[in-house]
Amino acid sequence: MHISRTYTAFYTIAEDETEVRVLEMLPIDEAHDRYRF
């Protein structure tokens, strides 16, 4: 998920769909470099 064109958040949704877990937040450029978006 992109946040204000500044950060990228990677998340997972729990199996029972009642909880969202943020796994990592990175500056958008770093996320693009690391994960090749």
Side-chain angles (χ1 to χ4, degrees), residues 5-36:
R5 298 180 185 248
T6 305
Y7 294 98
T8 300
F10 295 92
Y11 63 92
T12 186
I13 299 172
E15 287 185 32
D16 61 2
E17 297 182 356
T18 61
E19 184 177 302
V20 175
R21 297 178 184 151
V22 176
L23 304 173
E24 187 171 22
M25 279 185 74
L26 298 170
I28 197 166
D29 291 336
E30 185 177 334
H32 285 205
D33 289 343
R34 189 182 294 186
Y35 297 105
R36 305 280 185 221

